[in-house]
Amino acid sequence: AQSVSQHNHHVILSEAASLELGCNYSYGGTVNLFWYVQYPGQHLQLLLKYFSGDPLVKGIKGFEAEFIKSKFSFNLRKPSVQWSDTAEYFCAVNADNAGNMLTFGGGTRLMVKP
Amino acid sequence: ETGVTQSPTHLIKTRGQQVTLRCSSQSGHNTVSWYQQALGQGPQFIFQYYREEENGRGNFPPRFSGLQFPNYSSELNVNALELDDSALYLCASSSAGRGGAHTEAFFGQGTRLTVV
């Protein structure tokens, strides 16, 4: 069974700082990878996804993520965060034999100070 | 808005009772998945329904059961509620084509269940 680890549980940044959130998964086969964001009081929203092709994926709101297969990683980055990026971020994996079942990491709570 | 609606938004139940949560999937989607999100944790997969049949199940006991209706809406039923069942229950809808390839999942806002 696959698992997902997000190493940073809480991150506090000032506006304009750069962001990198780590995500590692354990599964030896083909995977689809996702980052979801959950703003306070709102539903989970898809930030970006990787299915195949270019390992550097660009998503909404200036976010990007890089799939490094050799490291089983899919880290999320943003060059300059804004106060409105304050939210909880979840990495998720869908293994190729698991229908559309998503395995989520434990989440990283990001607070951006104005 | 994702087009996925869940009801009710909040619910308080007593230990031992039964609860039914409902989900209306996004138009055109034929697959519904249910997740449990305990406080401070990521969502955990409960099960998935595709065209009215269970199509995968996570590590949850049989007292967690579900249904999917011909219009692809879905219910999650939990019997014999325990205190640890207190969580946010999320519904996600997607569309599966021939060969099993799925579109991305769209999530509802969830039902917060408190068991006392």
Side-chain angles (χ1 to χ4, degrees):
Chain A
Q2 61 266 34
S3 65
V4 179
S5 297
Q6 292 181 242
H7 309 295
N8 314 102
H9 299 291
H10 292 89
V11 174
I12 301 174
L13 295 172
S14 297
E15 275 195 317
S18 64
L19 169 72
E20 181 160 2
L21 302 182
C23 172
N24 287 90
Y25 66 92
S26 64
Y27 183 71
T30 302
V31 291
N32 299 321
L33 299 157
F34 306 82
W35 275 97
Y36 282 86
V37 61
Q38 193 169 36
Y39 297 104
Q42 295 190 26
H43 58 269
L44 277 168
Q45 299 176 38
L46 183 68
L47 270 180
L48 47 78
K49 60 189 177 186
Y50 172 81
F51 283 5
S52 63
D54 188 343
L56 184 60
V57 180
K58 294 193 183 301
I60 61 171
K61 304 186 181 188
F63 286 90
E64 65 179 31
E66 185 175 12
F67 171 47
I68 302 179
K69 189 174 181 179
S70 61
K71 295 185 178 180
F72 299 90
S73 70
F74 190 56
N75 292 354
L76 181 71
R77 299 194 293 249
K78 185 171 185 178
S80 176
V81 294
Q82 301 172 316
W83 175 79
S84 58
D85 293 324
T86 294
E88 190 153 19
Y89 293 80
F90 293 95
C91 180
V93 168
N94 166 240
D96 60 354
N97 65 349
N100 203 27
M101 181 190 95
L102 294 171
T103 300
F104 284 85
T108 296
R109 193 174 293 275
L110 171 67
M111 180 183 293
V112 180
K113 298 185 294 184
Chain B
E1 292 299 323
T2 63
V4 180
T5 57
Q6 293 185 242
S7 62
T9 54
H10 295 83
L11 199 54
I12 300 174
K13 288 285 190 178
T14 303
R15 190 172 47 183
Q17 284 188 312
Q18 179 266 344
V19 69
T20 297
L21 310 182
R22 295 178 175 83
C23 173
S24 293
S25 57
Q26 187 175 86
S27 177
H29 285 180
N30 55 19
T31 302
V32 172
S33 304
W34 286 90
Y35 292 82
Q36 181 195 67
Q37 186 178 14
L39 199 62
Q41 298 182 24
Q44 291 199 12
F45 177 75
I46 303 175
F47 44 56
Q48 179 181 94
Y49 279 83
Y50 170 63
R51 293 188 173 180
E52 303 178 56
E53 291 191 2
E54 190 177 289
N55 185 43
R57 189 178 184 91
N59 190 26
F60 280 80
R63 61 189 183 84
F64 285 77
S65 63
L67 283 173
Q68 187 179 32
F69 300 99
N71 66 355
Y72 302 128
S73 65
S74 177
E75 286 182 356
L76 164 66
N77 299 289
V78 187
N79 294 322
L81 283 166
E82 301 176 0
L83 297 180
D84 285 349
D85 296 333
S86 296
L88 181 68
Y89 288 84
L90 297 168
C91 167
S93 81
S94 60
S95 187
R98 293 181 185 275
H102 285 256
T103 64
E104 68 186 69
F106 292 86
F107 284 82
Q109 285 197 292
T111 294
R112 183 157 306 277
L113 172 65
T114 303
V115 182
V116 298

Short mmCIF file of all heavy atoms in Angstrom, two decimals, chain B residues 26-56:
data_model
loop_
_atom_site.label_atom_id
_atom_site.label_comp_id
_atom_site.label_asym_id
_atom_site.label_seq_id
_atom_site.Cartn_x
_atom_site.Cartn_y
_atom_site.Cartn_z
N GLN B 26 -20.93 16.15 -8.82
CA GLN B 26 -20.93 17.15 -9.89
C GLN B 26 -21.58 16.55 -11.14
O GLN B 26 -21.43 15.36 -11.43
CB GLN B 26 -19.49 17.56 -10.20
CG GLN B 26 -19.35 18.71 -11.18
CD GLN B 26 -17.91 19.15 -11.32
OE1 GLN B 26 -17.17 18.61 -12.12
NE2 GLN B 26 -17.51 20.11 -10.53
N SER B 27 -22.30 17.39 -11.86
CA SER B 27 -22.99 16.94 -13.06
C SER B 27 -22.01 16.27 -14.03
O SER B 27 -20.93 16.79 -14.29
CB SER B 27 -23.65 18.15 -13.74
OG SER B 27 -24.26 17.77 -14.94
N GLY B 28 -22.38 15.11 -14.52
CA GLY B 28 -21.53 14.39 -15.48
C GLY B 28 -20.56 13.42 -14.84
O GLY B 28 -19.90 12.65 -15.55
N HIS B 29 -20.46 13.45 -13.51
CA HIS B 29 -19.54 12.54 -12.82
C HIS B 29 -20.26 11.27 -12.40
O HIS B 29 -21.40 11.31 -11.94
CB HIS B 29 -18.95 13.21 -11.58
CG HIS B 29 -17.90 14.22 -11.89
ND1 HIS B 29 -17.24 14.93 -10.91
CD2 HIS B 29 -17.38 14.63 -13.08
CE1 HIS B 29 -16.34 15.74 -11.49
NE2 HIS B 29 -16.42 15.57 -12.80
N ASN B 30 -19.58 10.12 -12.58
CA ASN B 30 -20.21 8.84 -12.26
C ASN B 30 -19.55 8.11 -11.09
O ASN B 30 -19.92 6.99 -10.76
CB ASN B 30 -20.20 7.92 -13.50
CG ASN B 30 -18.79 7.72 -14.06
OD1 ASN B 30 -17.81 7.96 -13.36
ND2 ASN B 30 -18.71 7.29 -15.31
N THR B 31 -18.59 8.75 -10.46
CA THR B 31 -17.84 8.10 -9.38
C THR B 31 -17.85 8.99 -8.15
O THR B 31 -17.62 10.20 -8.26
CB THR B 31 -16.39 7.84 -9.80
OG1 THR B 31 -16.39 7.03 -10.99
CG2 THR B 31 -15.61 7.15 -8.71
N VAL B 32 -18.12 8.39 -7.00
CA VAL B 32 -18.10 9.14 -5.74
C VAL B 32 -17.19 8.42 -4.76
O VAL B 32 -17.28 7.19 -4.61
CB VAL B 32 -19.52 9.25 -5.14
CG1 VAL B 32 -19.44 9.85 -3.74
CG2 VAL B 32 -20.41 10.10 -6.02
N SER B 33 -16.35 9.17 -4.11
CA SER B 33 -15.45 8.62 -3.08
C SER B 33 -15.74 9.34 -1.77
O SER B 33 -16.05 10.53 -1.77
CB SER B 33 -13.99 8.84 -3.47
OG SER B 33 -13.70 8.27 -4.73
N TRP B 34 -15.60 8.62 -0.68
CA TRP B 34 -15.79 9.20 0.65
C TRP B 34 -14.48 9.13 1.43
O TRP B 34 -13.75 8.12 1.37
CB TRP B 34 -16.87 8.43 1.42
CG TRP B 34 -18.27 8.71 0.95
CD1 TRP B 34 -18.96 8.04 -0.02
CD2 TRP B 34 -19.13 9.74 1.42
NE1 TRP B 34 -20.22 8.59 -0.16
CE2 TRP B 34 -20.35 9.63 0.71
CE3 TRP B 34 -19.01 10.74 2.39
CZ2 TRP B 34 -21.43 10.49 0.93
CZ3 TRP B 34 -20.09 11.59 2.62
CH2 TRP B 34 -21.27 11.47 1.89
N TYR B 35 -14.21 10.20 2.16
CA TYR B 35 -13.00 10.29 2.96
C TYR B 35 -13.37 10.75 4.37
O TYR B 35 -14.30 11.52 4.56
CB TYR B 35 -12.01 11.30 2.36
CG TYR B 35 -11.41 10.87 1.05
CD1 TYR B 35 -12.11 11.05 -0.14
CD2 TYR B 35 -10.15 10.29 0.99
CE1 TYR B 35 -11.57 10.66 -1.35
CE2 TYR B 35 -9.59 9.89 -0.21
CZ TYR B 35 -10.32 10.08 -1.38
OH TYR B 35 -9.77 9.68 -2.58
N GLN B 36 -12.58 10.30 5.34
CA GLN B 36 -12.71 10.77 6.73
C GLN B 36 -11.47 11.61 7.05
O GLN B 36 -10.33 11.16 6.84
CB GLN B 36 -12.77 9.57 7.68
CG GLN B 36 -12.92 9.97 9.15
CD GLN B 36 -12.61 8.79 10.09
OE1 GLN B 36 -11.49 8.34 10.18
NE2 GLN B 36 -13.63 8.33 10.80
N GLN B 37 -11.70 12.82 7.55
CA GLN B 37 -10.58 13.68 7.93
C GLN B 37 -10.69 13.99 9.41
O GLN B 37 -11.48 14.84 9.82
CB GLN B 37 -10.56 14.96 7.10
CG GLN B 37 -9.33 15.82 7.35
CD GLN B 37 -9.28 17.06 6.49
OE1 GLN B 37 -10.27 17.46 5.86
NE2 GLN B 37 -8.13 17.70 6.43
N ALA B 38 -9.90 13.31 10.20
CA ALA B 38 -9.86 13.59 11.64
C ALA B 38 -9.10 14.90 11.86
O ALA B 38 -8.31 15.34 11.01
CB ALA B 38 -9.18 12.45 12.37
N LEU B 39 -9.32 15.51 12.99
CA LEU B 39 -8.73 16.80 13.29
C LEU B 39 -7.21 16.73 13.22
O LEU B 39 -6.59 15.86 13.83
CB LEU B 39 -9.18 17.26 14.69
CG LEU B 39 -9.04 18.74 15.00
CD1 LEU B 39 -9.92 19.55 14.05
CD2 LEU B 39 -9.43 19.02 16.44
N GLY B 40 -6.61 17.64 12.45
CA GLY B 40 -5.16 17.68 12.36
C GLY B 40 -4.53 16.64 11.47
O GLY B 40 -3.30 16.49 11.46
N GLN B 41 -5.34 15.90 10.73
CA GLN B 41 -4.81 14.86 9.85
C GLN B 41 -5.29 15.06 8.41
O GLN B 41 -6.18 15.84 8.15
CB GLN B 41 -5.27 13.48 10.36
CG GLN B 41 -4.76 13.13 11.74
CD GLN B 41 -5.18 11.74 12.16
OE1 GLN B 41 -5.47 10.89 11.33
NE2 GLN B 41 -5.24 11.51 13.46
N GLY B 42 -4.67 14.32 7.50
CA GLY B 42 -5.12 14.33 6.13
C GLY B 42 -6.32 13.41 5.94
O GLY B 42 -6.56 12.53 6.76
N PRO B 43 -7.06 13.62 4.87
CA PRO B 43 -8.21 12.75 4.60
C PRO B 43 -7.78 11.30 4.40
O PRO B 43 -6.73 11.04 3.81
CB PRO B 43 -8.79 13.33 3.31
CG PRO B 43 -8.30 14.74 3.26
CD PRO B 43 -6.95 14.71 3.89
N GLN B 44 -8.60 10.37 4.90
CA GLN B 44 -8.35 8.94 4.70
C GLN B 44 -9.50 8.35 3.90
O GLN B 44 -10.67 8.58 4.21
CB GLN B 44 -8.23 8.23 6.05
CG GLN B 44 -6.97 8.59 6.80
CD GLN B 44 -6.65 7.58 7.87
OE1 GLN B 44 -7.21 6.49 7.92
NE2 GLN B 44 -5.72 7.92 8.74
N PHE B 45 -9.13 7.56 2.90
CA PHE B 45 -10.10 6.97 1.98
C PHE B 45 -10.96 5.93 2.70
O PHE B 45 -10.43 5.03 3.35
CB PHE B 45 -9.33 6.31 0.83
CG PHE B 45 -10.18 5.58 -0.17
CD1 PHE B 45 -10.94 6.28 -1.09
CD2 PHE B 45 -10.19 4.20 -0.21
CE1 PHE B 45 -11.71 5.60 -2.04
CE2 PHE B 45 -10.95 3.52 -1.14
CZ PHE B 45 -11.70 4.22 -2.06
N ILE B 46 -12.28 6.09 2.56
CA ILE B 46 -13.20 5.12 3.15
C ILE B 46 -13.60 4.09 2.09
O ILE B 46 -13.36 2.90 2.22
CB ILE B 46 -14.45 5.80 3.74
CG1 ILE B 46 -14.05 6.84 4.78
CG2 ILE B 46 -15.39 4.75 4.35
CD1 ILE B 46 -15.23 7.65 5.32
N PHE B 47 -14.28 4.57 1.04
CA PHE B 47 -14.63 3.71 -0.10
C PHE B 47 -15.05 4.58 -1.28
O PHE B 47 -15.17 5.79 -1.19
CB PHE B 47 -15.75 2.70 0.23
CG PHE B 47 -16.92 3.24 1.00
CD1 PHE B 47 -17.67 4.31 0.55
CD2 PHE B 47 -17.28 2.64 2.20
CE1 PHE B 47 -18.75 4.78 1.27
CE2 PHE B 47 -18.37 3.10 2.92
CZ PHE B 47 -19.10 4.18 2.46
N GLN B 48 -15.22 3.88 -2.40
CA GLN B 48 -15.58 4.55 -3.65
C GLN B 48 -16.72 3.78 -4.31
O GLN B 48 -16.76 2.55 -4.26
CB GLN B 48 -14.38 4.58 -4.59
CG GLN B 48 -14.63 5.23 -5.94
CD GLN B 48 -13.40 5.18 -6.81
OE1 GLN B 48 -13.20 4.28 -7.62
NE2 GLN B 48 -12.53 6.15 -6.61
N TYR B 49 -17.62 4.53 -4.93
CA TYR B 49 -18.71 3.92 -5.68
C TYR B 49 -18.64 4.37 -7.13
O TYR B 49 -18.44 5.55 -7.44
CB TYR B 49 -20.07 4.30 -5.08
CG TYR B 49 -20.41 3.43 -3.91
CD1 TYR B 49 -19.91 3.73 -2.64
CD2 TYR B 49 -21.19 2.29 -4.06
CE1 TYR B 49 -20.18 2.91 -1.57
CE2 TYR B 49 -21.47 1.48 -2.98
CZ TYR B 49 -20.96 1.79 -1.73
OH TYR B 49 -21.23 0.98 -0.67
N TYR B 50 -18.77 3.39 -8.01
CA TYR B 50 -18.76 3.64 -9.45
C TYR B 50 -19.98 2.95 -10.03
O TYR B 50 -20.12 1.74 -9.91
CB TYR B 50 -17.47 3.11 -10.07
CG TYR B 50 -17.44 3.09 -11.57
CD1 TYR B 50 -17.52 4.27 -12.31
CD2 TYR B 50 -17.33 1.88 -12.27
CE1 TYR B 50 -17.49 4.25 -13.69
CE2 TYR B 50 -17.29 1.86 -13.65
CZ TYR B 50 -17.37 3.04 -14.35
OH TYR B 50 -17.34 3.03 -15.72
N ARG B 51 -20.84 3.73 -10.64
CA ARG B 51 -22.06 3.20 -11.25
C ARG B 51 -22.80 2.27 -10.29
O ARG B 51 -23.14 1.14 -10.64
CB ARG B 51 -21.72 2.49 -12.56
CG ARG B 51 -21.23 3.47 -13.61
CD ARG B 51 -21.06 2.85 -14.97
NE ARG B 51 -20.75 3.86 -15.98
CZ ARG B 51 -20.54 3.61 -17.26
NH1 ARG B 51 -20.63 2.37 -17.70
NH2 ARG B 51 -20.27 4.57 -18.10
N GLU B 52 -23.00 2.75 -9.10
CA GLU B 52 -23.83 2.14 -8.07
C GLU B 52 -23.21 0.92 -7.39
O GLU B 52 -23.88 0.27 -6.58
CB GLU B 52 -25.22 1.77 -8.62
CG GLU B 52 -25.97 2.95 -9.22
CD GLU B 52 -27.31 2.56 -9.80
OE1 GLU B 52 -28.13 1.97 -9.06
OE2 GLU B 52 -27.54 2.81 -11.00
N GLU B 53 -21.96 0.62 -7.70
CA GLU B 53 -21.31 -0.51 -7.03
C GLU B 53 -20.05 -0.05 -6.30
O GLU B 53 -19.33 0.84 -6.79
CB GLU B 53 -20.93 -1.58 -8.06
CG GLU B 53 -22.14 -2.27 -8.65
CD GLU B 53 -21.76 -3.50 -9.45
OE1 GLU B 53 -20.56 -3.83 -9.50
OE2 GLU B 53 -22.68 -4.12 -10.02
N GLU B 54 -19.76 -0.68 -5.16
CA GLU B 54 -18.53 -0.36 -4.44
C GLU B 54 -17.34 -0.77 -5.29
O GLU B 54 -17.26 -1.90 -5.79
CB GLU B 54 -18.50 -1.06 -3.08
CG GLU B 54 -17.36 -0.57 -2.20
CD GLU B 54 -17.34 -1.21 -0.82
OE1 GLU B 54 -18.23 -0.90 -0.01
OE2 GLU B 54 -16.44 -2.04 -0.59
N ASN B 55 -16.39 0.14 -5.42
CA ASN B 55 -15.28 -0.03 -6.36
C ASN B 55 -13.93 0.15 -5.66
O ASN B 55 -12.98 0.56 -6.26
CB ASN B 55 -15.43 1.00 -7.49
CG ASN B 55 -14.41 0.82 -8.58
OD1 ASN B 55 -14.13 -0.29 -9.00
ND2 ASN B 55 -13.82 1.91 -9.04
N GLY B 56 -13.88 -0.16 -4.41
CA GLY B 56 -12.63 -0.01 -3.66
C GLY B 56 -12.97 0.43 -2.26
O GLY B 56 -13.93 1.18 -2.04
#
